[in-house]
Amino acid sequence: EIYTSFPTRRSSDLNLLEWLPNLFSMMPMSTVTNISSTEKRAIASLASLYALRMLGLFMVLPVMAIAGAGFEGATPELIGLAIGAYGLSQALLQIPAGALSDYFGRKPIIVIGLLIFALGSFVAANADTIYGIIFGRFLQGCGAIASAVMALVSDLTREEHRMKAMASIGASIGLSFSVALVLGPVLVSFGGLQLIFIVTGILSLAGIALMLTAVPTPARKKHRDGSAIISEVFKQLGNGQLWPLNIGIFILHALMVAMFVSIPQQLVQAGLTLDQHAWLYLPVLLIAFVLMVPFVIIAEKKKQMKGIVITALGIMILALILMSQAAGIWPWAIALGVFFWAFNIMEATLPSWLSKVAPAGAKGSAMGIYSTLQFLGAFAGGIIGGWLNNHFGIEGLFLILASAVFGWALLVIVTPKPAHLNSVRVDILNQGHSDVQHSLYLDALINLRGVADAILIAEEHAIYLKVDASVFDYQQAMAAVNSLGE
């Protein structure tokens, strides 16, 4: 998620750790101020918190289809539901949890969410039937903290450093997903699903300790680029520019979960025991990551977002067709590598596309809708994957999934290219202005070079902008605001 852009230093002046987040955003870094120790601590602790939670959530993906088959009442459909059940509760509660954090504070809502997530983990760990696991997974999803965490990031970082904070959290999510696919098969070989859920619960409790001891407590405030506003959510539901992305993320996560209903069993039939699956996933994910990087750079730096997304969709269709015909370890390794290559491209580019087309002051609400559809996709994928696998077999499952991606590709083809605009918030330091003074602020900013749209939110004492970051000067915007406030 890209929030803003500022004057740059030469790339040779940047060390590797500073440069890596910008590799994906391709946005320059600020020279206005140095990042503070408080911001560094906030970014590191929140990225770690997110990674701990997502690690626990993802570890069941590569193992549930096999390890869950031994539970009383297990069927392919119910195993699929057990994989995706968290998505339903997460989708239902994510936006409300973010709104509650605006009123009761971020940290209390996050701590409550982590407690619920831990409870769900321990319920699943003690389950004797597949229904107990489904209930535990549903409870895990009730600990919906994603929107509150993102809002807390906005509270704890200044505008010029928020890009790096979001990049760090995005990297932590990607890392946790990769580690989970590798670690899940290892843990299940030692203690079955019970051990995975116990470790997940412990990680959640560790996240609470991290939140209480390491994360600073910010002043309570709303930030429309960091959290959803309920009234704005309903408005953005009618924004046609967002729906190709909302539909896309639904399909993407539905097929990702649906795949894992059947892939583990196929790998076992190919000759890999469950504890050996980690050694297939590890190199596949590493290679897919390396292949993804140039495409993301082209999408951002060369402003070829739509073309790269369409290319990734073509690669994904190829991967699903390869999976429908795969037999043996090497064919599956190649098919999975091609899939995760495309999947990583989509995961990196779709949120960036959404950030570009979301109206000024509506990014948090647009992202709330997007994330809700993402989790609903995971829920639907669990149910659909189990049903399709049971009724159409492995070949039918992947060909039907390929058809769904093809339909999405047609939708993207007829969707206009996104303008490469970023979201920026400018605070009004001198409060209590009249409507006439508000109009002066808007006029001053809307006429600045690179500004495409602006909206003033009086209750937040802030102006939200959509800007062309290649020419927009943040310091000039701040100078204009400050001169009017004097």
Side-chain angles (χ1 to χ4, degrees):
E1 300 177 23
I2 314 306
Y3 277 76
T4 186
S5 170
F6 300 91
T8 64
R9 291 171 282 175
R10 300 187 311 273
S11 61
S12 59
D13 295 332
L14 304 178
N15 65 42
L16 181 60
L17 291 179
E18 288 178 316
W19 178 77
L20 276 175
N22 296 292
L23 177 64
F24 300 101
S25 64
M26 293 313 299
M27 300 306 303
M29 295 172 60
S30 170
T31 58
V32 177
T33 58
N34 293 322
I35 188 167
S36 69
S37 58
T38 300
E39 287 173 313
K40 289 179 181 178
R41 180 159 61 95
I43 293 170
S45 56
L46 288 173
S48 300
L49 171 67
Y50 221 114
L52 288 175
R53 181 179 178 276
M54 300 309 288
L55 179 64
L57 204 56
F58 290 145
M59 279 194 295
V60 301
L61 274 180
V63 298
M64 178 67 79
I66 295 178
F71 284 79
E72 180 183 342
T75 65
E77 290 86 352
L78 290 177
I79 288 174
L81 180 57
I83 295 175
Y86 77 92
L88 177 61
S89 48
Q90 183 93 356
L92 293 174
L93 295 175
Q94 180 174 232
I95 290 177
L100 288 173
S101 75
D102 285 336
Y103 295 97
F104 297 104
R106 315 293 187 203
K107 294 177 77 171
I109 296 300
I110 293 171
V111 169
I112 291 171
L114 290 171
L115 283 172
I116 295 173
F117 186 81
L119 175 62
S121 302
F122 293 129
V123 166
N126 288 280
D128 296 320
T129 68
I130 194 67
Y131 298 102
I133 292 180
I134 292 170
F135 180 62
R137 291 282 284 172
F138 182 84
L139 274 180
Q140 284 184 321
C142 289
I145 65 169
S147 56
V149 170
M150 291 303 181
L152 185 54
V153 173
S154 297
D155 293 343
L156 290 170
T157 56
R158 287 166 292 171
E159 196 77 23
E160 60 262 39
H161 299 301
R162 197 158 298 128
M163 174 183 67
K164 288 175 277 187
M166 294 300 175
S168 297
I169 290 180
S172 75
I173 296 172
L175 178 63
S176 65
F177 178 77
S178 300
V179 172
L181 292 188
V182 175
L183 189 57
V186 174
L187 288 179
V188 83
S189 68
F190 285 103
L193 282 177
Q194 183 181 35
L195 179 59
I196 287 182
F197 286 122
I198 289 173
V199 170
T200 297
I202 293 172
L203 290 176
S204 185
L205 296 177
I208 294 175
L210 186 65
M211 172 60 61
L212 296 177
T213 60
V215 180
T217 300
R220 191 176 300 175
K221 63 179 180 180
K222 290 184 179 180
H223 194 305
R224 287 174 174 243
D225 278 347
S227 61
I229 306 297
I230 299 300
S231 59
E232 188 66 38
V233 167
F234 286 104
K235 183 178 178 180
Q236 294 308 314
L237 284 171
N239 188 340
Q241 292 187 80
L242 302 178
W243 276 104
L245 307 173
N246 294 334
I247 292 171
I249 199 64
F250 177 91
I251 293 174
L252 186 65
H253 280 258
L255 71 89
M256 190 267 289
V257 172
M259 285 170 41
F260 280 104
V261 175
S262 60
I263 284 177
Q265 185 61 48
Q266 297 302 313
L267 295 180
V268 169
Q269 292 179 6
L272 285 179
T273 58
L274 187 55
D275 61 313
Q276 295 174 325
H277 289 192
W279 305 113
L280 174 64
Y281 292 130
L282 181 59
V284 161
L285 290 168
L286 288 174
I287 293 171
F289 176 82
V290 172
L291 292 175
M292 171 268 291
V293 171
F295 285 80
V296 177
I297 293 176
I298 293 170
E300 294 287 355
K301 189 172 183 180
K302 303 296 184 183
K303 298 184 179 181
Q304 297 297 319
M305 183 74 67
K306 179 179 175 179
I308 291 299
V309 169
I310 293 172
T311 300
L313 288 170
I315 295 170
M316 187 167 287
I317 291 170
L318 172 62
L320 292 168
I321 293 173
L322 290 175
M323 289 180 187
S324 72
Q325 304 300 317
I329 295 174
W330 279 108
W332 272 109
I334 293 171
L336 285 169
V338 174
F339 173 81
F340 282 114
W341 175 21
F343 182 85
N344 288 342
I345 294 172
M346 303 299 291
E347 283 287 282
T349 54
L350 291 183
S352 181
W353 187 333
L354 182 140
S355 177
K356 290 170 174 53
V357 300
K363 178 176 167 49
S365 299
M367 187 59 70
I369 298 169
Y370 174 90
S371 298
T372 297
L373 268 293
Q374 172 183 326
F375 289 116
L376 282 176
F379 170 67
I383 297 175
I384 294 171
W387 188 85
L388 289 176
N389 189 51
N390 196 34
H391 288 81
F392 295 95
I394 187 73
E395 183 175 359
L397 167 67
F398 286 109
L399 290 178
I400 291 172
L401 293 178
S403 300
V405 177
F406 180 74
W408 176 21
L410 294 179
L411 178 61
V412 173
I413 288 171
V414 300
T415 300
K417 292 176 61 176
H420 279 246
L421 301 175
N422 290 358
S423 300
V424 176
R425 169 177 159 143
V426 178
D427 291 319
I428 303 172
L429 301 180
N430 190 1
Q431 302 172 7
H433 295 296
S434 66
D435 290 342
V436 173
Q437 288 170 310
H438 286 165
S439 296
L440 291 175
Y441 278 117
L442 284 175
D443 289 342
L445 292 179
I446 198 68
N447 291 316
L448 291 178
R449 188 177 180 218
V451 176
D453 188 20
I455 181 172
L456 187 145
I457 308 299
E459 62 268 25
E460 294 185 31
H461 310 294
I463 299 173
Y464 291 87
L465 309 174
K466 296 295 289 189
V467 305
D468 180 349
S470 64
V471 296
F472 175 70
D473 188 334
Y474 181 74
Q475 289 176 305
Q476 184 182 15
M478 290 300 301
V481 168
N482 291 336
S483 65
L484 289 172
E486 292 176 352

